[in-house]
Amino acid sequence: MRHRDRSSLTWWWMMCFHVVPFFPGSTAGPPYSYTVFQGVDAPGSDIEHANTKDIDALKSLCNNMTSCKGFNSNGWIKSDVSVRIPTKGCDVYLKVPTFGAPQAPLLPQPHTFTMGATTLSIGSKFGFVTDCQSVLLQQAFDRYQLLIFSHSYTSKSSSPLDTVYVVVHSPGEDLQLETDESYELNITASPPNSTLKAATIFGAMRGLETFSQLVTYNFAENAYEIHNASWFIEDEPRFQHRGLLIDTSRHFEPLRVIRNVLDSMSYAKLNVLHWHIVDTQSFPLQSLKYPKLWNGAYSSQERYSIEDVKDVVTYAKGRGIRVMPEFDMPGHAASWCIGYPDICPSSDCPQPLNPATNATFDLIEGFLKEMADVFGDNFIHLGGDEVNTKCWDKNPEIQAWLKMKNFTDDDAYKYFVSRAHQYAKNEQKTSVNWEEVFNHFGSTLEKNTVIHVWLNSKTAAKVVAAGYRCILSNSNRWYLPHLTVTWEQFYDNDPLASIEDAQQQKLMLGGEVCMWGETVDASDIQRTIWPRAAAAAERLWSLANVTDHDEMFLRLQSFRCLLTRRGVAAAPVENEEARSAPPGPGGCLSQ
């Protein structure tokens, strides 16, 4: 177990605390709230005894001490606060910056919200109601009814909450980068009433997820409840592109697993599945135009038909998630050559793809045209990374072609990228490329190109300064196979960290966490993704100043258990390495 200034705690404890908010500029005091854990042992570092046990006096003292992280009800001021399993010990008060509002038990945290102090009962005939004629929205209602109300229950309240009325201003079902995901959720306690307003059905889906996280089941009362009503939430994502890459070339992922990944993404409000579907190791994807391509699959059972892919795209859209395919070229493409050897330099040195023959470009053009109809997203990722041209140097035909064109290897690399971009453009698709393409060719690239930074986060500032849009996935922070990178490091990774100019900041589309497939398959993919991906999801959704580790830790513990209750195999938050098993017996929230 990694040693921290805090240990695991349960959502049950969260139900035991109350939040006392202070608002900047008001007469109530400085911008801190205090989360109270009742009757727990707190072995934190004691600074001093305050010579008082008066809680208000202790708060006032702690407010004015930068080193104070909290105190206990015995009067000890502390430089860190840890909590343990409930005992008969004293209460612990954790100091939390409010940034103008108290903290909510939601992940990702909404942009603005207010809450009250009433527990609101849910009626036994509760339902979502709307005038919006959308099949996708109705399917979302059905899905969230099952997610929220997993227990049979009754309502003993004479005045329960029976309905959430959902208002959608633009009922269209087109989902692209520009789609508005904002929403407003209002839950009043007296009288019980709730309205969810959204610009689009996809914004309404984000609001449904927020509502679902506010509902808890009371086993003692056999009732569903919403605590801290009334709630008023206004929310929207900080970044448009909030993605997760999965790699089905290094290990094949069954369709059921991909659907489960999509479900889990929607719970964290991620909205892009970057499907790195083929690579050097295998080509599992069917092409009707080039049927020999999937000869590169690992086996006849580790393949995706065209209809399979369409089903995934439809399933993802039903959860407000775009599917951006990646067909990496000219490198990372050896599996293409199994079915079509003419497009590769040689059988024993197969990549990068052969730029000296029209057969290569005819196949790429036809294949991208076909896939443009299968994947509806406006973005198509064309890779372009890690291009080692040694195989070109060994091929006499390619060498003769280079000489005829008066090309260097780098010229041929750019020529290849430019032709692939044109084919994508012909299909009204925006090309996305990995960072190396920008590093090699810079501002000579077509301005509509999106650059996906992974090698060095500081390159992002250069990309947007050159006028290109950017996606961040720096490998030292947002690569999920790096098991020793902690959730805190995921959380602290801000796409705008090195970009100060306001206009250039608008070119940062967001980011992705990357689940490369060398060491994951159906057995461990979800516990490698979660819960660390949730830390990145909040960074991409919530306001930039929502950064407190202690406060996030509480919500991340809760969210991890929400995932497990919903059938997502998320690993414990407190691990020496990501995806490690629980260290021993214990409740979900104490791991």
Side-chain angles (χ1 to χ4, degrees):
M1 181 74 67
R2 199 163 52 235
H3 293 289
R4 300 178 181 273
D5 289 343
R6 57 189 179 271
S7 62
S8 302
L9 53 140
T10 67
W11 188 244
W12 181 86
W13 302 342
M14 296 284 282
M15 293 300 99
C16 288
F17 72 66
H18 61 280
V19 176
V20 182
F22 294 91
F23 300 94
S26 74
T27 58
Y32 300 113
S33 62
Y34 287 87
T35 301
V36 185
F37 300 96
Q38 298 178 347
V40 300
D41 184 21
S45 299
D46 298 337
I47 299 176
E48 62 178 293
H49 195 278
N51 295 318
T52 180
K53 295 184 180 180
D54 180 83
I55 300 302
D56 288 337
L58 288 165
K59 287 176 183 175
S60 179
L61 181 62
C62 192
N63 288 342
N64 295 303
M65 294 177 62
T66 57
S67 59
C68 178
K69 302 299 183 183
F71 57 88
N72 66 25
S73 55
N74 282 339
W76 283 98
I77 302 294
K78 295 176 172 292
S79 62
D80 67 69
V81 174
S82 299
V83 293
R84 292 180 176 174
I85 296 172
T87 68
K88 295 181 180 179
C90 57
D91 297 344
V92 182
Y93 288 72
L94 173 64
K95 178 182 177 183
V96 181
T98 62
F99 301 114
Q103 305 301 306
L106 299 167
L107 196 152
Q109 183 166 293
H111 278 214
T112 63
F113 59 91
T114 60
M115 61 188 187
T118 301
T119 296
L120 185 60
S121 179
I122 305 291
S124 57
K125 296 182 180 180
F126 174 87
F128 300 103
V129 177
T130 187
D131 292 331
C132 177
Q133 301 300 310
S134 167
V135 173
L136 292 183
L137 185 58
Q138 189 58 57
Q139 290 172 344
F141 290 168
D142 295 342
R143 188 165 65 250
Y144 274 99
Q145 284 277 164
L146 293 173
L147 282 173
I148 297 170
F149 304 109
S150 57
H151 303 280
S152 298
Y153 72 103
T154 59
S155 177
K156 298 179 181 179
S157 172
S158 60
S159 184
L161 178 66
D162 288 323
T163 302
V164 174
Y165 187 68
V166 180
V167 179
V168 177
H169 298 299
S170 300
E173 296 185 348
D174 186 39
L175 178 62
Q176 297 295 343
L177 173 74
E178 300 81 11
T179 297
D180 191 332
E181 297 173 90
S182 63
Y183 68 92
E184 177 186 293
L185 178 62
N186 189 16
I187 305 171
T188 60
S190 181
N193 185 49
S194 183
T195 302
L196 170 60
K197 298 179 181 179
T200 66
I201 62 169
F202 304 107
M205 291 178 190
R206 305 303 175 225
L208 290 174
E209 176 58 36
T210 296
F211 179 83
S212 75
Q213 292 185 22
L214 290 173
V215 179
T216 61
Y217 180 64
N218 185 329
F219 279 88
E221 297 293 330
N222 186 30
Y224 279 95
E225 300 170 338
I226 295 177
H227 296 269
N228 299 114
S230 295
W231 286 91
F232 182 72
I233 297 171
E234 290 183 302
D235 203 11
E236 62 182 348
R238 184 180 172 213
F239 294 100
Q240 294 173 304
H241 188 108
R242 309 178 308 282
L244 167 67
L245 177 150
I246 62 168
D247 170 9
T248 56
S249 174
R250 275 57 178 249
H251 278 97
F252 180 82
E253 299 293 349
L255 291 173
R256 185 181 297 272
V257 171
I258 295 175
R259 293 189 190 102
N260 187 242
V261 168
L262 288 165
D263 287 338
S264 65
M265 289 173 63
S266 71
Y267 305 151
K269 297 185 172 70
L270 293 175
N271 71 343
V272 181
L273 178 72
H274 176 172
W275 194 351
H276 189 90
I277 196 166
V278 302
D279 205 291
T280 294
Q281 290 78 7
S282 73
F283 198 112
L285 175 62
Q286 181 185 31
S287 167
L288 299 178
K289 191 176 181 73
Y290 299 99
K292 294 181 182 179
L293 278 173
W294 70 355
N295 289 358
Y298 286 124
S299 73
S300 63
Q301 297 303 303
E302 294 169 293
R303 290 174 169 174
Y304 306 106
S305 70
I306 291 293
E307 292 307 312
D308 289 338
V309 173
K310 289 181 179 178
D311 286 346
V312 168
V313 171
T314 299
Y315 191 91
K317 186 176 183 180
R319 285 141 186 82
I321 297 171
R322 300 159 42 212
V323 179
M324 178 179 70
E326 180 180 354
F327 307 110
D328 205 344
M329 59 180 79
H332 289 277
S335 62
W336 301 49
C337 311
I338 295 173
Y340 295 91
D342 290 348
I343 69 173
C344 297
S346 68
S347 59
D348 60 347
C349 200
Q351 60 188 10
L353 295 175
N354 186 349
T357 173
N358 287 332
T360 300
F361 295 106
D362 289 345
L363 187 150
I364 290 171
E365 182 178 21
F367 178 72
L368 292 182
K369 183 177 181 63
E370 179 184 15
M371 291 301 117
D373 293 333
V374 176
F375 295 92
D377 197 66
N378 287 342
F379 280 18
I380 187 166
H381 206 302
L382 298 176
D385 61 311
E386 298 181 322
V387 175
N388 185 328
T389 59
K390 289 182 179 179
C391 291
W392 290 352
D393 297 339
K394 296 178 181 179
N395 183 292
E397 175 194 357
I398 296 175
Q399 287 299 301
W401 176 80
L402 289 171
K403 186 175 181 180
M404 179 192 69
K405 301 280 282 186
N406 195 27
F407 274 179
T408 64
D409 285 354
D410 218 43
D411 293 331
Y413 174 19
K414 184 179 181 181
Y415 173 79
F416 198 112
V417 168
S418 297
R419 289 195 66 168
H421 281 189
Q422 186 59 52
Y423 299 146
K425 186 177 181 180
N426 291 345
E427 304 306 319
Q428 289 77 52
K429 301 294 184 183
T430 296
S431 297
V432 184
N433 283 108
W434 292 108
E435 178 179 346
E436 288 94 327
V437 172
F438 177 79
N439 290 342
H440 274 77
F441 311 122
S443 58
T444 64
L445 295 168
E446 184 175 331
K447 284 300 181 184
N448 196 41
T449 306
V450 176
I451 304 300
H452 196 165
V453 170
W454 72 282
L455 290 167
N456 187 339
S457 61
K458 293 182 179 179
T459 304
K462 299 176 183 178
V463 169
V464 297
Y468 294 94
R469 291 179 293 174
C470 185
I471 297 168
L472 182 68
S473 292
N474 45 322
S475 59
N476 65 332
R477 286 295 179 266
W478 278 358
Y479 269 31
L480 290 156
H482 296 175
L483 302 181
T484 58
V485 180
T486 65
W487 73 260
E488 291 97 332
Q489 291 170 307
F490 272 72
Y491 195 53
D492 292 342
N493 190 46
D494 193 319
L496 298 182
S498 59
I499 304 170
E500 296 181 358
D501 181 85
Q503 293 304 312
Q504 293 175 12
Q505 287 180 347
K506 294 178 181 179
L507 296 174
M508 175 55 74
L509 300 182
E512 297 177 4
V513 288
C514 297
M515 186 65 271
W516 295 106
E518 286 86 350
T519 63
V520 296
D521 60 11
S523 70
D524 62 355
I525 185 170
Q526 286 287 50
R527 61 193 176 97
T528 311
I529 293 171
W530 306 104
R532 291 180 302 161
E538 175 152 301
R539 181 57 51 241
L540 291 167
W541 180 281
S542 302
L543 292 172
N545 60 7
V546 179
T547 57
D548 186 87
H549 284 192
D550 289 333
E551 187 275 327
M552 173 56 170
F553 176 73
L554 303 176
R555 291 185 294 109
L556 189 60
Q557 287 278 60
S558 171
F559 185 75
R560 181 256 172 170
C561 292
L562 176 77
L563 291 176
T564 60
R565 288 197 302 273
R566 293 181 177 182
V568 179
V573 175
E574 289 282 82
N575 270 335
E576 284 290 343
E577 289 193 343
R579 82 178 178 210
S580 297
C588 170
L589 287 142
S590 64
Q591 301 292 337

